[in-house]
Each structure stands twice: as C-alpha cells, then as structure tokens.
C-alpha cells in the first residue's frame, strides 16, 4: 500500500491518523508535526513522526491538515511537495482549489472536509474534485475517506463552505447541545457520570434509530410527541425561541468564516 503522509497532526490530522490506523495499521502512516508535545504524544502512540517530509514516492498520498493560515509556510517547509505528482488531499477549511493550485503548482488534489468522528471510523467527509480529476486521484482519496467513515461528493465547490460548517463543525454543535442536556440532568440531581451515560446513549440511540429505520428526524420527533404531552411542551419552547433559526445563524456564521479564510 502507498504511504500516507499527514501534514499537520493536530485535532483533525490526528483523528484521521487514528482512524486510518484502525483500518490499515500504522506502518504506512507518517505524521508530519512541528509541535513538540503533539509529536511526542503521537510517537508514544506508535506513529512514525517527523518535522517535515524528507522523502516521498510518486504514488504516496499526502493529506494537508495544517491550519489554513499556515498552509503556505507548511509548503515552504516541505518543498518536496512542489515536485510531488501523487495524490494530495486537503482538509483545510476555506482553502480553495484556486489557492491550492497556485501554491502547489499542480492540480492533483482533492478538497475535502472530514470531521473528528473520523477517529472512530464514524466520520462524514464531504469532498470536491475538479472536472479534470483523474480516476486514480479520486480512488486514492476514497481509500482515505472510506477508512474513516462515509463520504459524499459535491459537484459545486461553492458548497464546500457550507460543508465546512455542517461536517467539520457539526460534531462541536451536536456536542454543545449534548452538554446542555447533561447540565440539565446534573442540575436536577443526577450524578455527572449518570448524566453523561444518559446523554451519550440518547445521541447514539437516536442516530442509530434514524440510520437503521430511514425515518426522518421530524418523523421521529413526531412519534415521540403526544398531543398535550410532556415532549410537546419541550418542542414548543424550541419553536417559540426559534431554535431552527438559531442553528441556521450558527451554521451561516461558520460558513462565512470559511469564506473569509479562503480570502
């Protein structure tokens, strides 16, 4: 199998590393990380870690996972990438194909947004490939994406900013809502561990129910509610406070920030 170099092994990069290891083992994985403490942690976890890419074969896969603000400096530190003709996968929020092409000097890349659930192979990756992307490039990208969860392709690059909000930031939004549920439970007198177990099972069980039955989210919502019942009272509070509008504002703010990073 080709080697996979993860350039930038912070939160997202390390999630991909651990997800890939579960499928393929670690012998084909290389973490490129300048942060000493993070590099030491990954080395202790059994990964091969270095500060830069010293050698690379033409078929090797490179995953660009550095913060978008550090992209150009990362390429300067790893100039071997400027002559690399193999697959490159960007997971950097806001960095457009135009910017990638200008900096890398070629178009052998995929723009994508995975998320941190990749660490447990339950991620969702949304990716965009240019019209002239070869089948080998897409196949290489899908090897990576398939090892860390499921993936979907979009034909309009303009959707990638919304994808960043949805897929990239989605776990944080769900976790924020989960924290509100857990805090309620603790405030009502449940122990913190019991509150956590209830909260995580609610998320897991509901997601599994939606996935296995194919029911829509609102169908499940309506099935739980009864007229004049307790759940209906809770949903009415959401509606009075325009929860849908608040979530839309939050996602739009994240998407707009992705656009700003691209500039």
């Amino acid at each position: 199998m080709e080697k996979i170099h993860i350039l930038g092994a912070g939160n997202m990069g390390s999630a991909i590393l651990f997800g890939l290891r579960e499928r393929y083992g670690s012998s084909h994985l290389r973490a490129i990380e300048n942060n000493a403490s993070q590099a030491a942690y990954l080395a202790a976890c059994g990964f091969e870690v270095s500060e830069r890419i010293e050698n690379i074969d033409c078929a090797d896969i490179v995953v660009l996972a550095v913060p978008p603000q550090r992209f150009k400096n990362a390429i300067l530190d790893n100039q071997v990438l400027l002559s690399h003709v193999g697959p490159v996968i960007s997971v950097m929020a806001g960095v457009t194909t135009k910017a990638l092409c200008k900096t890398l000097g070629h178009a052998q890349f995929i723009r994508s947004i995975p998320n941190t659930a990749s660490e447990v192979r339950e991620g969702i990756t949304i990716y965009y490939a240019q019209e002239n992307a070869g089948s080998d490039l897409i196949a290489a990208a899908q090897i990576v994406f398939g090892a860390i969860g499921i993936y979907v392709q979009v034909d309009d690059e303009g959707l990638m900013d919304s994808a960043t909000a949805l897929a990239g930031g989605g776990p944080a939004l769900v976790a924020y809502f989960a924290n509100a549920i857990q805090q309620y439970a603790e405030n009502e007198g449940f122990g913190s561990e019991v509150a956590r177990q209830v909260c995580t099972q609610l998320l897991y069980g509901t997601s599994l129910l939606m996935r296995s039955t194919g029911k829509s989210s609102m169908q499940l919502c309506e099935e739980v509610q009864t007229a004049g019942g307790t759940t209906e009272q809770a949903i009415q509070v959401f509606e009075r406070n325009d929860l849908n509008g608040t979530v839309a504002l939050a996602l739009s703010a994240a998407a707009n920030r992705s656009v700003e990073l691209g500039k």
Side-chain angles (χ1 to χ4, degrees), residues 106-119:
H106 63 80
Q108 278 290 98
F109 57 79
I110 297 287
R111 182 182 174 188
S112 68
I113 293 293
N115 61 28
T116 56
S118 300
E119 183 175 340

Side-chain angles (χ1 to χ4, degrees), residues 80-96:
V80 65
L81 292 179
L82 297 176
S83 58
H84 177 56
V85 296
V88 175
I89 301 168
S90 168
V91 302
M92 300 179 295
V95 181
T96 64

Side-chain angles (χ1 to χ4, degrees), residues 15-224:
I16 295 172
L17 272 171
F18 283 99
L20 288 172
R21 182 170 70 175
E22 190 172 338
R23 170 73 66 89
Y24 299 120
S26 60
S27 61
H28 298 282
L29 301 175
R30 304 290 184 271
I32 314 301
E33 178 56 53
N34 289 324
N35 182 281
S37 60
Q38 181 69 358
Y41 165 72
L42 293 170
C45 290
F47 293 105
E48 181 176 326
V49 186
S50 60
E51 290 187 358
R52 59 183 53 84
I53 301 174
E54 300 291 352
N55 298 294
I56 190 167
D57 291 336
C58 61
D60 286 357
I61 299 170
V62 177
V63 178
L64 300 175
V66 296
Q69 301 91 331
R70 290 187 51 226
F71 171 43
K72 291 184 178 180
N73 286 337
I75 298 301
L76 289 175
D77 291 339
N78 296 271
Q79 294 197 30
V80 65
L81 292 179
L82 297 176
S83 58
H84 177 56
V85 296
V88 175
I89 301 168
S90 168
V91 302
M92 300 179 295
V95 181
T96 64
T97 57
K98 181 179 180 181
L100 287 164
C101 192
K102 180 179 180 180
T103 303
L104 295 173
H106 63 80
Q108 278 290 98
F109 57 79
I110 297 287
R111 182 182 174 188
S112 68
I113 293 293
N115 61 28
T116 56
S118 300
E119 183 175 340
V120 291
R121 290 176 60 185
E122 290 292 346
I124 172 68
T125 301
I126 301 176
Y127 76 94
Y128 169 77
Q130 298 181 93
E131 288 186 8
N132 59 352
S135 58
D136 290 346
L137 172 61
I138 293 177
Q142 291 179 348
I143 286 174
V144 175
F145 303 151
I148 56 178
I150 66 173
Y151 52 86
V152 293
Q153 182 177 1
V154 296
D155 296 326
D156 179 5
E157 186 179 4
L159 288 173
M160 290 304 294
D161 295 311
S162 297
T164 299
L166 285 168
L173 272 63
V174 173
Y176 194 92
F177 180 76
N179 182 65
I181 294 177
Q182 186 169 334
Q183 282 189 352
Y184 167 81
E186 292 180 15
N187 291 339
E188 289 299 304
F190 292 91
S192 60
E193 183 56 31
V194 172
R196 181 179 182 280
Q197 287 178 345
V198 171
C199 181
T200 54
Q201 187 61 27
L202 282 172
L203 295 173
Y204 174 75
T206 304
S207 294
L208 188 60
L209 189 60
M210 290 173 63
R211 177 184 285 188
S212 61
T213 64
K215 294 178 180 179
S216 70
S217 53
M218 286 311 298
Q219 183 179 351
L220 287 179
C221 184
E222 290 166 0
E223 289 177 355
V224 174

